[in-house]
Amino acid sequence: MKIALINENSQAAKNSQIYEVLKAEAEKAGHTVDNYGMYSAEDEHQLTYVMNGLLASILLTTKAVDFVVTGCGTGQGAMLAANSFPNVLCGHVTNPLDAYLFGQVNDGNCIAMPFAQNFGWGAEINLHDTFAKLFSEPFGGGYPKERVIPEQRNKKILDSVKLVTHRPLIDILKTMDQEFLKSAIDYPEFKELFFANSQDEEISEYLRSVLAK
């Protein structure tokens, strides 16, 4: 998998720590990680957790990445924002057990983590263990294993429901506040990583037009 890390402004100072741990554990499992920032609290370009939900949807819809790791102070706002957009199935993950069960039972494509709440002494140990457990097995394997068939069936039902309850992303991009959209994507690292990896030319071209305004 190609994994994206996206941090918002309140926890941007922890980006490098989170990225190094995520990269280490993801690479052990054969995955790669792209760091979409924020890279420090002093970054000129500021991302909010609502913007991160939008970015997660753009990256996943266009297949620029396969999985997104994001978060905020509690992880709750980031999860709510991510699930507000199409093609994102985001879980709130705080520890290794959450991570394992989310991957095996819910088979989602995004996690939101708390990077302030309970993020104190030894936080890097929990990060290592959480990411290690998240990537320890292919997603969707079920837990308990004998529940795999009904759990996979429920996941397919949820996916079909979300296709009905969410509009296509391209429609959302065209009708949402264009200044908000531009403010979310107009920074060098996003443009470099996204346009090199997007597999959806319609969305890519539309975002280019937004950036050109």
Side-chain angles (χ1 to χ4, degrees), residues 38-58:
M38 293 176 53
Y39 304 94
S40 76
E42 290 74 38
D43 282 6
E44 180 178 349
H45 184 263
Q46 296 282 304
L47 291 173
T48 67
Y49 68 76
V50 181
M51 290 176 176
N52 288 2
L54 172 60
L55 293 179
S57 181
I58 290 171

PDB file of all heavy atoms in Angstrom, residues 38-58:
ATOM      1  N   MET A  38       0.946  18.706   7.968  1.00  0.00           N
ATOM      2  CA  MET A  38       1.851  19.820   8.133  1.00  0.00           C
ATOM      3  C   MET A  38       3.173  19.352   8.723  1.00  0.00           C
ATOM      4  O   MET A  38       3.211  18.418   9.505  1.00  0.00           O
ATOM      5  CB  MET A  38       1.232  20.882   9.024  1.00  0.00           C
ATOM      6  CG  MET A  38       0.027  21.588   8.431  1.00  0.00           C
ATOM      7  SD  MET A  38      -0.747  22.773   9.573  1.00  0.00           S
ATOM      8  CE  MET A  38       0.632  23.799  10.080  1.00  0.00           C
ATOM      9  N   TYR A  39       4.222  20.058   8.392  1.00  0.00           N
ATOM     10  CA  TYR A  39       5.551  19.599   8.764  1.00  0.00           C
ATOM     11  C   TYR A  39       6.061  20.232  10.052  1.00  0.00           C
ATOM     12  O   TYR A  39       6.950  19.682  10.701  1.00  0.00           O
ATOM     13  CB  TYR A  39       6.514  19.871   7.602  1.00  0.00           C
ATOM     14  CG  TYR A  39       6.028  19.230   6.323  1.00  0.00           C
ATOM     15  CD1 TYR A  39       5.264  19.962   5.419  1.00  0.00           C
ATOM     16  CD2 TYR A  39       6.267  17.889   6.066  1.00  0.00           C
ATOM     17  CE1 TYR A  39       4.782  19.374   4.263  1.00  0.00           C
ATOM     18  CE2 TYR A  39       5.786  17.293   4.911  1.00  0.00           C
ATOM     19  CZ  TYR A  39       5.036  18.036   4.018  1.00  0.00           C
ATOM     20  OH  TYR A  39       4.539  17.448   2.875  1.00  0.00           O
ATOM     21  N   SER A  40       5.504  21.387  10.423  1.00  0.00           N
ATOM     22  CA  SER A  40       5.862  22.020  11.687  1.00  0.00           C
ATOM     23  C   SER A  40       4.766  22.996  12.051  1.00  0.00           C
ATOM     24  O   SER A  40       3.942  23.394  11.209  1.00  0.00           O
ATOM     25  CB  SER A  40       7.204  22.757  11.584  1.00  0.00           C
ATOM     26  OG  SER A  40       7.048  23.970  10.874  1.00  0.00           O
ATOM     27  N   ALA A  41       4.760  23.406  13.293  1.00  0.00           N
ATOM     28  CA  ALA A  41       3.755  24.365  13.744  1.00  0.00           C
ATOM     29  C   ALA A  41       3.938  25.719  13.085  1.00  0.00           C
ATOM     30  O   ALA A  41       3.001  26.530  13.051  1.00  0.00           O
ATOM     31  CB  ALA A  41       3.832  24.504  15.260  1.00  0.00           C
ATOM     32  N   GLU A  42       5.130  25.973  12.545  1.00  0.00           N
ATOM     33  CA  GLU A  42       5.419  27.269  11.932  1.00  0.00           C
ATOM     34  C   GLU A  42       5.154  27.284  10.440  1.00  0.00           C
ATOM     35  O   GLU A  42       5.411  28.295   9.770  1.00  0.00           O
ATOM     36  CB  GLU A  42       6.887  27.653  12.179  1.00  0.00           C
ATOM     37  CG  GLU A  42       7.201  27.996  13.621  1.00  0.00           C
ATOM     38  CD  GLU A  42       7.260  26.767  14.518  1.00  0.00           C
ATOM     39  OE1 GLU A  42       7.769  25.726  14.043  1.00  0.00           O
ATOM     40  OE2 GLU A  42       6.781  26.843  15.664  1.00  0.00           O
ATOM     41  N   ASP A  43       4.643  26.194   9.865  1.00  0.00           N
ATOM     42  CA  ASP A  43       4.361  26.167   8.430  1.00  0.00           C
ATOM     43  C   ASP A  43       3.478  27.343   8.028  1.00  0.00           C
ATOM     44  O   ASP A  43       2.483  27.652   8.706  1.00  0.00           O
ATOM     45  CB  ASP A  43       3.635  24.877   8.046  1.00  0.00           C
ATOM     46  CG  ASP A  43       4.572  23.686   7.946  1.00  0.00           C
ATOM     47  OD1 ASP A  43       5.754  23.836   8.278  1.00  0.00           O
ATOM     48  OD2 ASP A  43       4.106  22.613   7.539  1.00  0.00           O
ATOM     49  N   GLU A  44       3.830  27.965   6.925  1.00  0.00           N
ATOM     50  CA  GLU A  44       2.991  29.053   6.417  1.00  0.00           C
ATOM     51  C   GLU A  44       1.618  28.530   6.018  1.00  0.00           C
ATOM     52  O   GLU A  44       0.600  29.202   6.225  1.00  0.00           O
ATOM     53  CB  GLU A  44       3.678  29.717   5.221  1.00  0.00           C
ATOM     54  CG  GLU A  44       2.894  30.860   4.624  1.00  0.00           C
ATOM     55  CD  GLU A  44       3.616  31.521   3.473  1.00  0.00           C
ATOM     56  OE1 GLU A  44       4.812  31.230   3.264  1.00  0.00           O
ATOM     57  OE2 GLU A  44       2.977  32.330   2.769  1.00  0.00           O
ATOM     58  N   HIS A  45       1.596  27.353   5.420  1.00  0.00           N
ATOM     59  CA  HIS A  45       0.332  26.765   4.999  1.00  0.00           C
ATOM     60  C   HIS A  45      -0.271  25.971   6.149  1.00  0.00           C
ATOM     61  O   HIS A  45       0.312  24.995   6.619  1.00  0.00           O
ATOM     62  CB  HIS A  45       0.538  25.848   3.794  1.00  0.00           C
ATOM     63  CG  HIS A  45      -0.732  25.300   3.249  1.00  0.00           C
ATOM     64  ND1 HIS A  45      -1.204  24.050   3.580  1.00  0.00           N
ATOM     65  CD2 HIS A  45      -1.656  25.837   2.419  1.00  0.00           C
ATOM     66  CE1 HIS A  45      -2.350  23.832   2.971  1.00  0.00           C
ATOM     67  NE2 HIS A  45      -2.654  24.897   2.256  1.00  0.00           N
ATOM     68  N   GLN A  46      -1.431  26.382   6.601  1.00  0.00           N
ATOM     69  CA  GLN A  46      -2.082  25.777   7.755  1.00  0.00           C
ATOM     70  C   GLN A  46      -3.205  24.831   7.305  1.00  0.00           C
ATOM     71  O   GLN A  46      -4.047  25.195   6.477  1.00  0.00           O
ATOM     72  CB  GLN A  46      -2.668  26.858   8.660  1.00  0.00           C
ATOM     73  CG  GLN A  46      -1.617  27.774   9.279  1.00  0.00           C
ATOM     74  CD  GLN A  46      -0.913  27.124  10.451  1.00  0.00           C
ATOM     75  OE1 GLN A  46      -1.542  26.688  11.415  1.00  0.00           O
ATOM     76  NE2 GLN A  46       0.415  27.069  10.389  1.00  0.00           N
ATOM     77  N   LEU A  47      -3.221  23.624   7.854  1.00  0.00           N
ATOM     78  CA  LEU A  47      -4.272  22.653   7.579  1.00  0.00           C
ATOM     79  C   LEU A  47      -5.125  22.459   8.826  1.00  0.00           C
ATOM     80  O   LEU A  47      -4.594  22.269   9.913  1.00  0.00           O
ATOM     81  CB  LEU A  47      -3.672  21.303   7.176  1.00  0.00           C
ATOM     82  CG  LEU A  47      -2.957  21.209   5.830  1.00  0.00           C
ATOM     83  CD1 LEU A  47      -2.283  19.844   5.690  1.00  0.00           C
ATOM     84  CD2 LEU A  47      -3.913  21.450   4.678  1.00  0.00           C
ATOM     85  N   THR A  48      -6.437  22.490   8.654  1.00  0.00           N
ATOM     86  CA  THR A  48      -7.359  22.148   9.731  1.00  0.00           C
ATOM     87  C   THR A  48      -7.804  20.704   9.559  1.00  0.00           C
ATOM     88  O   THR A  48      -7.605  20.100   8.497  1.00  0.00           O
ATOM     89  CB  THR A  48      -8.601  23.049   9.706  1.00  0.00           C
ATOM     90  OG1 THR A  48      -9.360  22.771   8.514  1.00  0.00           O
ATOM     91  CG2 THR A  48      -8.200  24.515   9.730  1.00  0.00           C
ATOM     92  N   TYR A  49      -8.469  20.140  10.576  1.00  0.00           N
ATOM     93  CA  TYR A  49      -8.900  18.755  10.433  1.00  0.00           C
ATOM     94  C   TYR A  49      -9.992  18.609   9.376  1.00  0.00           C
ATOM     95  O   TYR A  49     -10.117  17.544   8.764  1.00  0.00           O
ATOM     96  CB  TYR A  49      -9.312  18.140  11.775  1.00  0.00           C
ATOM     97  CG  TYR A  49     -10.560  18.672  12.442  1.00  0.00           C
ATOM     98  CD1 TYR A  49     -11.825  18.328  11.994  1.00  0.00           C
ATOM     99  CD2 TYR A  49     -10.464  19.472  13.577  1.00  0.00           C
ATOM    100  CE1 TYR A  49     -12.966  18.785  12.630  1.00  0.00           C
ATOM    101  CE2 TYR A  49     -11.599  19.933  14.222  1.00  0.00           C
ATOM    102  CZ  TYR A  49     -12.852  19.593  13.754  1.00  0.00           C
ATOM    103  OH  TYR A  49     -13.977  20.039  14.384  1.00  0.00           O
ATOM    104  N   VAL A  50     -10.756  19.682   9.130  1.00  0.00           N
ATOM    105  CA  VAL A  50     -11.754  19.619   8.046  1.00  0.00           C
ATOM    106  C   VAL A  50     -11.044  19.534   6.692  1.00  0.00           C
ATOM    107  O   VAL A  50     -11.435  18.747   5.819  1.00  0.00           O
ATOM    108  CB  VAL A  50     -12.696  20.831   8.091  1.00  0.00           C
ATOM    109  CG1 VAL A  50     -13.734  20.729   6.977  1.00  0.00           C
ATOM    110  CG2 VAL A  50     -13.390  20.919   9.444  1.00  0.00           C
ATOM    111  N   MET A  51     -10.004  20.318   6.522  1.00  0.00           N
ATOM    112  CA  MET A  51      -9.209  20.234   5.301  1.00  0.00           C
ATOM    113  C   MET A  51      -8.611  18.839   5.137  1.00  0.00           C
ATOM    114  O   MET A  51      -8.553  18.298   4.027  1.00  0.00           O
ATOM    115  CB  MET A  51      -8.085  21.270   5.328  1.00  0.00           C
ATOM    116  CG  MET A  51      -8.547  22.693   5.190  1.00  0.00           C
ATOM    117  SD  MET A  51      -7.132  23.819   5.366  1.00  0.00           S
ATOM    118  CE  MET A  51      -7.914  25.391   5.031  1.00  0.00           C
ATOM    119  N   ASN A  52      -8.169  18.251   6.240  1.00  0.00           N
ATOM    120  CA  ASN A  52      -7.567  16.916   6.156  1.00  0.00           C
ATOM    121  C   ASN A  52      -8.583  15.875   5.718  1.00  0.00           C
ATOM    122  O   ASN A  52      -8.239  14.919   5.025  1.00  0.00           O
ATOM    123  CB  ASN A  52      -6.954  16.536   7.500  1.00  0.00           C
ATOM    124  CG  ASN A  52      -5.690  17.322   7.798  1.00  0.00           C
ATOM    125  OD1 ASN A  52      -5.296  18.182   7.014  1.00  0.00           O
ATOM    126  ND2 ASN A  52      -5.075  17.049   8.916  1.00  0.00           N
ATOM    127  N   GLY A  53      -9.852  16.033   6.135  1.00  0.00           N
ATOM    128  CA  GLY A  53     -10.880  15.136   5.637  1.00  0.00           C
ATOM    129  C   GLY A  53     -11.050  15.262   4.143  1.00  0.00           C
ATOM    130  O   GLY A  53     -11.164  14.252   3.422  1.00  0.00           O
ATOM    131  N   LEU A  54     -11.055  16.495   3.646  1.00  0.00           N
ATOM    132  CA  LEU A  54     -11.133  16.730   2.203  1.00  0.00           C
ATOM    133  C   LEU A  54      -9.928  16.136   1.488  1.00  0.00           C
ATOM    134  O   LEU A  54     -10.071  15.461   0.464  1.00  0.00           O
ATOM    135  CB  LEU A  54     -11.227  18.232   1.936  1.00  0.00           C
ATOM    136  CG  LEU A  54     -11.120  18.681   0.479  1.00  0.00           C
ATOM    137  CD1 LEU A  54     -12.222  18.068  -0.374  1.00  0.00           C
ATOM    138  CD2 LEU A  54     -11.122  20.202   0.392  1.00  0.00           C
ATOM    139  N   LEU A  55      -8.729  16.380   2.006  1.00  0.00           N
ATOM    140  CA  LEU A  55      -7.516  15.838   1.386  1.00  0.00           C
ATOM    141  C   LEU A  55      -7.546  14.313   1.361  1.00  0.00           C
ATOM    142  O   LEU A  55      -7.149  13.692   0.366  1.00  0.00           O
ATOM    143  CB  LEU A  55      -6.275  16.333   2.124  1.00  0.00           C
ATOM    144  CG  LEU A  55      -5.979  17.830   2.037  1.00  0.00           C
ATOM    145  CD1 LEU A  55      -4.730  18.161   2.852  1.00  0.00           C
ATOM    146  CD2 LEU A  55      -5.809  18.279   0.594  1.00  0.00           C
ATOM    147  N   ALA A  56      -8.005  13.705   2.448  1.00  0.00           N
ATOM    148  CA  ALA A  56      -8.093  12.240   2.483  1.00  0.00           C
ATOM    149  C   ALA A  56      -8.992  11.735   1.374  1.00  0.00           C
ATOM    150  O   ALA A  56      -8.672  10.750   0.676  1.00  0.00           O
ATOM    151  CB  ALA A  56      -8.608  11.774   3.845  1.00  0.00           C
ATOM    152  N   SER A  57     -10.130  12.393   1.171  1.00  0.00           N
ATOM    153  CA  SER A  57     -11.060  11.983   0.121  1.00  0.00           C
ATOM    154  C   SER A  57     -10.448  12.147  -1.260  1.00  0.00           C
ATOM    155  O   SER A  57     -10.579  11.266  -2.126  1.00  0.00           O
ATOM    156  CB  SER A  57     -12.355  12.790   0.230  1.00  0.00           C
ATOM    157  OG  SER A  57     -13.285  12.396  -0.754  1.00  0.00           O
ATOM    158  N   ILE A  58      -9.772  13.262  -1.481  1.00  0.00           N
ATOM    159  CA  ILE A  58      -9.124  13.485  -2.776  1.00  0.00           C
ATOM    160  C   ILE A  58      -8.082  12.410  -3.047  1.00  0.00           C
ATOM    161  O   ILE A  58      -8.031  11.819  -4.137  1.00  0.00           O
ATOM    162  CB  ILE A  58      -8.482  14.885  -2.812  1.00  0.00           C
ATOM    163  CG1 ILE A  58      -9.568  15.974  -2.846  1.00  0.00           C
ATOM    164  CG2 ILE A  58      -7.553  15.031  -4.015  1.00  0.00           C
ATOM    165  CD1 ILE A  58      -9.031  17.385  -2.676  1.00  0.00           C
TER     166      ILE A  58
END
